[in-house]
Amino acid sequence: QFVRRLNRDGHTVVLTTHYLEEAETLCERIAMLKQGRLVALDSKSNLVRRLHNLRLRVRISGDLPSSLVDLDHGNNEGEHILWLRDYTELEPTLATLRLAACTLLEVEIEQPDLEDVFLEIMNREDRA
């Protein structure tokens, strides 16, 4: 509450934390460091937009259609996590599942959060 009040009163606060939930709650702009190097600096919303904007988690009967395999990031016993760029891809993806005679047993839409961004940026930096 104290940090929020300082910021609300116009003070710039530099907060260092290892807790992403804390950073997401208290900070408007976030910097990420890896081995002393700045690897990201932007607003929360811009950092999250770097990723696919949503994940469609589905549990289906049958096999995932081959046209959706590249979107799948987490096949586990009939559960698939399909990464979509935005909501315009939702209906065509569901239509593809219907045309393949897949029965939807569960459906959930997830928005990426700061933890997803952090993991993606850190993994990408390892590959670079």
Side-chain angles (χ1 to χ4, degrees):
Q1 292 172 347
F2 177 69
V3 171
R4 283 191 185 113
R5 187 173 62 239
L6 282 173
N7 189 251
R8 192 175 48 247
D9 291 344
H11 298 278
T12 298
V13 177
V14 177
L15 172 72
T16 60
T17 183
H18 286 95
Y19 299 108
L20 293 171
E21 300 87 12
E22 184 177 49
E24 197 163 22
T25 301
L26 294 174
C27 302
E28 289 301 316
R29 289 177 43 89
I30 295 174
M32 294 182 185
L33 302 174
K34 182 171 182 181
Q35 297 176 341
R37 282 187 25 242
L38 183 67
V39 293
L41 173 62
D42 213 333
S43 67
K44 288 182 292 190
S45 58
N46 285 343
L47 287 170
V48 170
R49 268 189 234 125
R50 289 182 178 194
L51 294 180
H52 295 283
N53 287 337
L54 62 101
R55 291 180 302 253
L56 176 63
R57 183 182 300 266
V58 294
R59 196 165 62 80
I60 60 173
S61 65
D63 294 327
L64 190 68
S66 60
S67 61
L68 298 179
V69 168
D70 288 343
L71 300 177
D72 194 8
H73 291 82
N75 182 2
N76 182 20
E77 297 182 22
E79 181 180 83
H80 303 273
I81 302 171
L82 306 176
W83 289 10
L84 308 178
R85 281 187 290 277
D86 56 40
Y87 282 100
T88 62
E89 292 184 352
L90 181 59
E91 177 51 36
T93 301
L94 293 173
T96 300
L97 290 169
R98 277 193 305 274
L99 289 172
C102 295
T103 301
L104 290 172
L105 304 172
E106 291 180 33
V107 177
E108 183 178 348
I109 297 173
E110 300 174 341
Q111 297 290 334
D113 61 14
L114 198 54
E115 183 175 355
D116 296 319
V117 173
F118 176 80
L119 292 172
E120 174 66 23
I121 288 172
M122 293 304 151
N123 287 334
R124 183 180 56 234
E125 290 297 319
D126 282 341
R127 292 186 298 262

